[in-house]
Amino acid sequence: MRVFLLLCLLAVGNAKPYQPINIMDFMKNYDIMMADSDDDDDDDDDYDDDENCPAGCRCSPKVVQCSDLGLISVPEKIPEDTIMIDLQNNDITDIKEDDFKGLHKLYGLFLINNKISKIHPRAFRNMNNLKLLYLSYNLLTEIPANLPPNVIELRFHENMISKIQKDAFKGLRKLHVLELGANPLSNSGIELRAFNGLSTLYVGMAEAKLTAVPKDLPTSITELSLDYNKISKVEVEDFIRYKNLQRLGLGFNQIKFVENGSFISTPSIREIHLDNNRLKKVPPGLNSLRYLQVIFLHGNKISSVGINDFCPISHSAKKNLYTAISLYANPVKYWDIQPATFRCVAGRRGLQLGNFRKK
């Protein structure tokens, strides 16, 4: 399951302008996952494309593909043994109560790039096998009610969600991936306990309107994407809850200040992106992060680099070698940096320096 999730993240992890998803790739992974299952259903029964396939759609065993058809509603007569439905790039405006009635075996539902602004509270009832629900690039203004209880991946990238209410994801104890990027979401729009009960591993809130690191996200997160926001500073209290964090994205914000000790609560952190901000110095405390291997600081206003900014002072201290330190596009004179500054970098290719040019 975790391998499958990683493949999903690699495929669509950093969503930008809409690009169609090939759901057959997901089907291949699904087949691998189910190869050793004890499902005795009629897995080899193909349904006839002409008699059982919705008009205009393309069907193969357990997969219904209805993308790019200009549909204004979910098609009728979808076979009940369907596992994946592709409804990308249509003009669907709302999801009605019975649109997916009887589809109890559904595993993946892809509604990306429609015009959906309303989802009936009972639209996902009895969909206990649904694991992937993609609703990115729509017109939703709030998190739909009564989401499928066993969903592991939810994507709401680029909707119009400005508020997340308390218990918005209630009961989703198996959710691992939550993408909320490119929504007009501010810190005040996130109610206390909005993420109550989640054990999510990845939370994406890039391209929003955040001015500070959210304080009430799931404590389980290992990856947090907050790039392209309006965050101006990083404080000690920001990451106290997120002790399992391994990858942090804070690039393209307005960060001028990182308080000493801000990352001490994230001992397992491996990758930090602080590029394209307004930092004037290397953030303190990086040299104490044993597992940190990637730190992006390019595109800031750093004018000097100290000999112990990245590596432990004591030679006996254990530290994983850096595979990437980027400092280019800063006003630091790289020829003034002492060579020993990068004594814990794994080779020359792990270091990126360059001249600074004023625009």
Side-chain angles (χ1 to χ4, degrees):
M1 181 65 75
R2 285 179 181 258
V3 173
F4 178 67
L5 280 171
L6 288 172
L7 289 171
C8 293
L9 281 171
L10 289 173
V12 291
N14 294 312
K16 288 294 183 185
Y18 166 69
Q19 294 182 346
I21 292 174
N22 183 355
I23 70 165
M24 297 312 294
D25 292 337
F26 290 87
M27 193 64 189
K28 292 176 184 177
N29 289 316
Y30 173 83
D31 289 340
I32 293 172
M33 291 172 55
M34 299 301 292
D36 298 325
S37 70
D38 296 325
D39 188 359
D40 294 327
D41 290 344
D42 297 329
D43 291 334
D44 297 326
D45 292 342
D46 296 359
Y47 49 80
D48 184 87
D49 285 356
D50 294 328
E51 295 183 2
N52 297 318
C53 192
C57 301
R58 292 171 289 120
C59 296
S60 57
K62 304 187 187 306
V63 178
V64 177
Q65 295 179 278
C66 306
S67 62
D68 301 275
L69 296 178
L71 299 174
I72 59 174
S73 62
V74 175
E76 299 179 352
K77 299 181 179 179
I78 298 174
E80 291 187 358
D81 64 347
T82 299
I83 290 173
M84 294 199 185
I85 301 177
D86 181 4
L87 288 164
Q88 296 179 85
N89 201 27
N90 282 292
D91 296 316
I92 299 171
T93 57
D94 66 304
I95 303 299
K96 302 178 179 64
E97 179 177 359
D98 294 331
D99 279 348
F100 305 113
K101 184 178 180 180
L103 302 180
H104 306 315
K105 296 182 180 180
L106 198 61
Y107 181 91
L109 177 56
F110 302 87
L111 289 159
I112 304 168
N113 201 37
N114 278 274
K115 298 176 181 178
I116 300 170
S117 60
K118 183 179 179 181
I119 297 178
H120 193 279
R122 288 174 54 82
F124 301 120
R125 69 188 184 282
N126 299 323
M127 297 177 72
N128 294 333
N129 289 313
L130 191 67
K131 299 294 192 298
L132 310 176
L133 179 55
Y134 284 31
L135 284 158
S136 298
Y137 302 97
N138 277 287
L139 302 174
L140 294 170
T141 58
E142 60 183 6
I143 303 298
N146 302 317
L147 291 164
N150 294 314
V151 67
I152 60 174
E153 186 172 345
L154 270 175
R155 293 189 178 273
F156 295 104
H157 187 271
E158 198 159 314
N159 275 269
M160 300 176 66
I161 299 170
S162 60
K163 186 176 182 178
I164 303 179
Q165 297 179 329
K166 177 184 176 181
D167 295 324
F169 306 100
K170 185 176 181 179
L172 306 187
R173 300 189 181 280
K174 296 183 180 180
L175 185 65
H176 286 172
V177 176
L178 178 59
E179 178 58 73
L180 291 163
N183 281 283
L185 189 62
S186 64
N187 293 81
S188 60
I190 304 174
E191 290 190 2
L192 187 65
R193 302 180 69 82
F195 303 94
N196 187 35
L198 292 185
S199 58
T200 306
L201 302 177
Y202 168 86
V203 173
M205 302 179 78
E207 303 175 83
K209 295 185 177 181
L210 300 173
T211 56
V213 176
K215 305 294 193 299
D216 199 34
L217 298 176
T219 59
S220 56
I221 54 174
T222 60
E223 182 171 352
L224 177 60
S225 175
L226 299 173
D227 304 283
Y228 293 93
N229 275 284
K230 298 180 180 180
I231 299 171
S232 60
K233 60 183 177 179
V234 176
E235 299 176 308
V236 171
E237 63 179 13
D238 287 345
F239 302 107
I240 288 177
R241 285 172 51 86
Y242 314 136
K243 301 183 185 302
N244 298 316
L245 198 62
Q246 295 183 17
R247 186 184 184 279
L248 174 62
L250 284 168
F252 291 91
N253 275 276
Q254 301 170 11
I255 299 171
K256 297 180 179 180
F257 172 72
V258 176
E259 187 177 2
N260 191 14
S262 293
F263 301 118
I264 197 170
S265 298
T266 59
S268 300
I269 194 83
R270 285 162 167 76
E271 188 171 337
I272 300 175
H273 292 221
L274 279 163
D275 55 287
N276 294 285
N277 278 283
R278 301 177 184 178
L279 295 170
K280 294 183 178 181
K281 62 180 182 179
V282 175
L286 298 182
N287 60 358
S288 65
L289 299 174
R290 176 178 176 179
Y291 298 102
L292 183 63
Q293 293 178 285
V294 176
I295 176 69
F296 287 176
L297 293 168
H298 55 271
N300 278 280
K301 298 182 179 181
I302 298 171
S303 58
S304 64
V305 177
I307 193 171
N308 295 316
D309 280 350
F310 298 102
C311 304
I313 298 175
S314 172
H315 293 289
S316 61
K318 294 182 178 180
K319 171 76 175 76
N320 284 8
L321 296 180
Y322 287 97
T323 57
I325 294 178
S326 67
L327 281 164
Y328 65 89
N330 278 287
V332 59
K333 296 178 181 179
Y334 63 86
W335 52 85
D336 286 341
I337 303 176
Q338 297 186 46
T341 300
F342 305 114
R343 59 190 178 274
C344 55
V345 179
R348 290 180 296 177
R349 292 187 178 182
L351 180 62
Q352 300 175 36
L353 295 171
N355 289 325
F356 173 77
R357 295 181 180 180
K358 292 184 178 180
K359 295 181 180 180

